[in-house]
């Protein structure tokens, strides 16, 4: 009897081991690529850390050499070159001061002239490129503003103001698809500017997508709940889709802020 029990136990153990092996083999087979990816991820992480340390070491090793090289160049630089550079810096500072003075006086022609002079000496100066682009944009000389705005974005892709200004130019050309893409990008960079939501609402309204326009106006109002122009416009949008209860709600909000608002009174009397 004990022999029979021993044989049965051995058979049971053998079958158990076989089942475990089959199960493990099946698990590995099913998850083979996941396992490979897991070990690859670990390996890549280790390699990334090694490379990062190597780069840091290289930078630290090169810093003294770069500093020494700059000092050598400075020492070798002739007095004439140094003097010339100093003259240019002084001239540029004077240009900056006079340009801003003309801006204060709103002498547009001379302000433009000084900005152009500055940029002829320093074409990559982002500050003055922005000033000149803003000037052209504000006086509706969009043909001159557009290349400057594009140059700004080449240097600073995160400049949401330049994106918004380019949108305005394309919107006036009735290029609604490009306009929408530009404002979406501006909103990703800065989603707390109500003007961008207002702009998106304008695009949707132009495409006769009133519900989407309302959604964006609600976002604008969330940021500026007391803006009467926003309240009036969202009320008129609700009127267009015949939702008069919502329209009245916003007209009443206008009167709470501005009790003598003629338009809101007229609209409430007619609804």
């Amino acid at each position: 009897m004990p022999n029979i029990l021993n044989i049965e136990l051995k058979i049971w153990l053998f079958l158990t081991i076989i089942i475990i092996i089959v199960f493990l083999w099946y698990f590995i087979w099913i998850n083979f690529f996941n396992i490979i990816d897991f070990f690859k991820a670990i390996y890549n992480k280790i390699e990334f850390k090694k490379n990062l340390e190597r780069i840091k070491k290289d930078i630290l090793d090169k810093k003294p050499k770069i500093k020494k090289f700059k000092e050598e160049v400075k020492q070798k630089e002739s007095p004439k070159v140094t003097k010339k550079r100093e003259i240019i810096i002084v001239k540029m500072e004077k240009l900056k001061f006079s340009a801003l003075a003309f801006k204060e006086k709103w002498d547009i022609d001379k302000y433009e002239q000084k900005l152009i002079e500055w940029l002829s000496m320093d074409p990559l100066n982002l500050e003055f490129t922005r000033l000149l682009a803003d000037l052209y944009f504000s006086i509706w000389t969009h043909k001159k503003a557009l290349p400057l705005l594009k140059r700004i974005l080449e240097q600073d892709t995160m400049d949401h103001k330049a994106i918004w200004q380019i949108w305005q130019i394309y919107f006036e050309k009735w290029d609604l698809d490009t306009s929408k893409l530009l404002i979406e990008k501006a909103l990703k960079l800065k989603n707390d500017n109500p003007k961008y939501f207002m702009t998106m609402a304008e695009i949707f309204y132009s495409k006769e997508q009133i519900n989407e326009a309302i959604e964006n106006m609600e976002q604008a109002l969330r940021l500026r709940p007391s803006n009467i122009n926003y309240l009036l416009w969202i009320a008129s949008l609700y009127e267009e889709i015949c939702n008069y209860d919502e329209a009245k709600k916003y007209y009443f909000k206008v009167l709470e802020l501005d009790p003598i608002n003629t338009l809101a009174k007229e609209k409430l009397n007619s609804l």
Side-chain angles (χ1 to χ4, degrees):
M1 192 73 177
N3 286 336
I4 294 169
L5 285 171
N6 284 336
I7 291 166
E8 284 179 353
L9 184 63
K10 285 177 183 178
I11 292 168
W12 183 83
L13 284 170
F14 177 74
L15 289 173
T16 303
I17 291 165
I18 293 294
I19 289 166
I20 291 168
I21 291 168
V22 168
F23 175 77
L24 285 171
W25 178 85
Y26 179 75
F27 177 80
I28 291 167
W29 176 258
I30 294 297
N31 295 282
F32 177 76
F33 292 107
N34 290 334
I35 293 165
I36 294 294
D37 288 342
F38 174 75
F39 284 109
K40 270 185 182 178
I42 292 171
Y43 174 78
N44 289 336
K45 199 171 181 180
I46 293 165
E47 284 299 305
F48 176 77
K49 283 185 178 178
K50 283 182 183 176
N51 289 331
L52 196 63
E53 289 299 321
R54 199 178 300 121
I55 290 164
K56 282 181 182 177
K57 189 176 180 298
D58 289 344
I59 290 168
L60 290 170
D61 290 344
K62 284 176 183 176
K63 264 188 178 179
K65 293 177 185 176
I66 292 166
K67 191 177 178 182
K68 188 181 176 183
F69 174 74
K70 282 182 178 178
E71 285 172 359
E72 286 174 359
V73 169
K74 198 173 180 181
Q75 287 169 4
K76 287 178 184 176
E77 198 174 67
S78 68
K80 283 184 179 179
V81 173
T82 307
K83 187 70 178 173
K84 190 177 178 182
R85 181 180 290 142
E86 286 173 1
I87 291 166
I88 290 169
I89 290 167
V90 170
K91 189 177 178 182
M92 289 172 84
E93 283 301 313
K94 283 181 179 178
L95 272 173
K96 183 177 181 178
F97 178 78
S98 57
L100 296 174
F102 287 127
K103 184 185 180 183
E104 287 294 317
K105 294 175 186 176
W106 201 240
D107 190 336
I108 300 299
D109 293 336
K110 287 181 180 175
Y111 177 51
E112 178 192 9
Q113 182 189 336
K114 293 298 177 185
L115 292 177
I116 291 169
E117 270 186 64
W118 178 288
L119 287 171
S120 67
M121 296 166 68
D122 186 7
L124 297 176
N125 188 292
L126 203 53
E127 180 191 356
F128 274 73
T129 306
R130 283 192 178 111
L131 289 173
L132 190 57
D134 283 344
L135 172 65
Y136 288 141
F137 187 81
S138 64
I139 60 174
W140 294 85
T141 315
H142 289 168
K143 194 172 181 180
K144 289 183 178 179
L146 187 57
L148 291 168
L149 291 167
K150 286 180 177 178
R151 193 193 301 174
I152 290 165
L153 285 181
E154 283 171 9
Q155 291 180 254
D156 181 7
T157 55
M158 306 294 278
D159 193 319
H160 55 89
K161 183 185 175 183
I163 294 168
W164 181 82
Q165 288 172 323
I166 293 172
W167 161 80
Q168 186 76 41
I169 294 166
Y170 278 103
F171 187 69
E172 282 169 18
K173 294 178 180 178
W174 210 245
D175 187 344
L176 299 179
D177 291 331
T178 305
S179 300
K180 185 171 176 287
L181 288 171
L182 287 163
I183 289 302
E184 282 173 350
K185 186 175 179 181
L187 278 168
K188 282 179 184 175
L189 296 173
K190 190 170 177 64
N191 64 0
D192 61 350
N193 190 328
K195 185 163 59 176
Y196 297 163
F197 287 107
M198 176 83 173
T199 299
M200 189 63 91
E202 284 184 61
I203 294 168
F204 281 121
Y205 183 76
S206 301
K207 297 176 90 170
E208 298 182 357
Q209 293 174 252
I210 308 299
N211 288 322
E212 287 81 358
I214 288 170
E215 284 173 19
N216 279 277
M217 281 310 302
E218 283 172 348
Q219 290 290 340
L221 275 167
R222 182 177 57 80
L223 295 164
R224 294 290 184 278
S226 302
N227 188 302
I228 287 172
N229 290 328
Y230 291 179
L231 289 165
L232 287 170
W233 200 40
I234 196 169
S236 68
L237 289 172
Y238 275 117
E239 272 191 83
E240 287 205 27
I241 60 170
C242 301
N243 190 338
Y244 300 119
D245 289 337
E246 284 295 312
K248 283 179 183 178
K249 182 179 85 175
Y250 285 105
Y251 285 130
F252 276 122
K253 282 186 180 180
V254 171
L255 290 178
E256 284 173 16
L257 297 165
D258 180 14
I260 59 169
N261 191 287
T262 311
L263 181 58
K265 284 181 177 179
E266 287 175 359
K267 287 289 186 179
L268 283 168
N269 288 332
S270 65
L271 289 174

